[in-house]
């Protein structure tokens, strides 16, 4: 699942290829970029930095230009050897090559070239909550945003709101509530600050490890495990799954040991 850790891991790999360098090749094979002239606009510009905030990835070029990417449910980043040349998948939206390595963004769906100043005013970006993967998480701001939100919303659903905290997706929402033994269906107003922070503190080291090595699946204990025995309960209860929130995103939980 492309969640915050997936995007931070991609940023790390792309950084190794491009940061501090002018790409040898910038190409936008997808027809939707036909008239956008990215190769011309980015020609000769070095990549100053590659960073992520939550699920958003930014390639910052010299001269105030930024490539902004968000993968939603469908997109992906791939970093690979460019020699010998491999076939470029038909779903490639962006290809950046330097030396014998290249980064590809596949299947969009948010990929745009914008000015640095626009990233500071665009509400999709400027309105993001603190990044759960930040070296120092701003817990005060996170809790303030959470308490400003609808207190009747289930805590699992509330943690998906990127304006409250950025980077948690469906997998980590379920795993975090399970790790902290908090019922994801409990109304946020009935969940204490300590309980909310316990969820986030369970998640941070797991997500940081996944952001470092890309091995997200080794942390999966209950996600997509509906009907299987709970890994914690003795005797085992069964993991449940049900859609939650406006997006009806499946939530996994153990009704026996999460309260
Ligand atoms: Zn259980």
């Amino acid at each position: 699942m492309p969640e915050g850790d997936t995007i931070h891991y991609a940023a790390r790999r792309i950084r190794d290829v491009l940061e501090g360098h002018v790409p040898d090749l910038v190409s936008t094979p997808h027809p939707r970029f036909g008239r956008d002239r990215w190769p011309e606009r980015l020609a000769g510009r070095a990549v100053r930095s590659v960073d992520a905030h939550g699920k958003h990835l930014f390639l910052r070029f010299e001269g105030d230009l930024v490539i902004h990417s968000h993968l939603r449910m469908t997109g992906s980043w791939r970093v690979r050897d460019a020699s010998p040349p491999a076939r470029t998948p038909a779903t490639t939206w962006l290809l950046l090559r330097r030396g014998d390595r290249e980064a590809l963004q596949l299947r969009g769906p948010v990929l745009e070239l914008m000015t640095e100043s626009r990233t500071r005013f665009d509400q999709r970006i400027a309105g993001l909550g603190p990044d759960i993967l930040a070296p120092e998480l701003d817990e005060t701001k996170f809790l303030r945003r959470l308490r400003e939100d609808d207190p009747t919303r289930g805590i699992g659903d509330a943690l998906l709101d990127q304006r409250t905290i950025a980077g948690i997706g469906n997998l980590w929402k379920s795993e975090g509530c399970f790790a902290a033994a908090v019922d994801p269906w409990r109304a946020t107003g009935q969940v204490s600050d300590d309980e909310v922070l316990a969820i986030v503190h369970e998640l941070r080291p797991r997500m940081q490890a996944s952001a470092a090595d890309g091995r997200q699946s080794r942390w999966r204990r209950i996600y997509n495990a509906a009907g299987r025995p709970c890994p914690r309960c003795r005797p085992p209860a069964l993991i449940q799954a049900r859609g939650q929130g406006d997006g009806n995103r499946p939530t996994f939980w153990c009704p026996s040991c999460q309260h």
Side-chain angles (χ1 to χ4, degrees):
M1 294 289 287
E3 303 194 11
D5 52 316
T6 319
I7 305 308
H8 279 260
Y9 179 63
R12 171 185 295 246
R13 299 189 72 215
I14 298 165
R15 192 178 300 137
D16 286 346
V17 177
L18 293 172
E19 194 166 89
H21 303 281
V22 178
D24 299 325
L25 174 70
V26 176
S27 165
T28 52
H30 195 277
R32 75 172 260 160
F33 297 100
R35 284 185 289 278
D36 290 359
R37 299 174 36 253
W38 285 24
E40 289 88 341
R41 291 162 71 189
L42 294 171
R45 298 178 195 265
V47 176
R48 285 193 297 108
S49 63
V50 182
D51 57 277
H53 188 115
K55 304 181 198 175
H56 297 254
L57 188 143
F58 304 92
L59 291 118
R60 302 181 195 276
F61 287 78
E62 290 175 329
D64 202 39
L65 285 176
V66 181
I67 290 178
H68 167 228
S69 151
H70 190 295
L71 303 176
R72 297 229 174 93
M73 306 291 281
T74 55
S76 63
W77 281 99
R78 190 178 296 176
V79 177
R80 65 182 190 178
D81 287 333
S83 66
R87 191 184 64 82
T88 303
T91 51
T92 305
W93 283 34
L94 173 67
L95 189 159
L96 298 157
R97 183 179 299 151
R98 186 183 74 86
D100 58 2
R101 301 283 286 164
E102 61 188 13
L104 287 71
Q105 206 257 30
L106 308 177
R107 290 185 299 279
V110 175
L111 186 64
E112 54 195 355
L113 184 59
M114 60 200 331
T115 61
E116 189 78 52
S117 58
R118 207 188 119 203
T119 66
R120 288 191 286 273
F121 293 102
D122 187 317
Q123 271 309 300
R124 293 168 305 160
I125 301 166
L128 288 170
D131 188 342
I132 188 168
L133 282 165
E136 300 278 336
L137 176 65
D138 188 342
E139 294 182 349
T140 307
K141 185 174 181 182
F142 158 53
L143 288 171
R144 190 177 66 240
R145 294 261 177 114
L146 183 76
R147 298 308 177 196
E148 287 166 358
D149 192 11
D150 176 2
T152 67
R153 199 172 174 187
I155 185 63
D157 187 43
L159 290 172
L160 286 185
D161 196 320
Q162 304 297 302
R163 294 165 299 185
T164 298
I165 189 164
I168 297 177
N170 227 26
L171 180 146
W172 290 116
K173 163 195 79 175
S174 293
E175 295 294 344
C177 288
F178 177 75
V182 172
D183 182 345
W185 298 92
R186 199 182 343 148
T188 298
Q190 305 297 317
V191 181
S192 70
D193 287 355
D194 284 349
E195 289 175 307
V196 171
L197 290 175
I199 297 172
V200 167
H201 294 160
E202 291 285 353
L203 285 178
R204 268 170 62 80
R206 292 168 170 83
M207 292 181 72
Q208 282 164 341
S210 173
D213 65 15
R215 294 168 56 211
Q216 183 189 69
S217 60
R218 73 189 151 120
W219 300 104
R220 191 181 293 190
R221 298 189 73 200
I222 63 159
Y223 186 78
N224 271 352
R228 295 205 209 125
C230 170
R232 183 164 50 205
C233 283
R234 297 284 180 271
L238 298 185
I239 298 300
Q240 309 288 311
R242 194 179 346 136
Q244 185 177 31
D246 290 342
N248 203 33
R249 309 286 308 283
T251 290
F252 298 85
W253 83 106
C254 173
S256 173
C257 63
Q258 290 177 251
H259 302 287

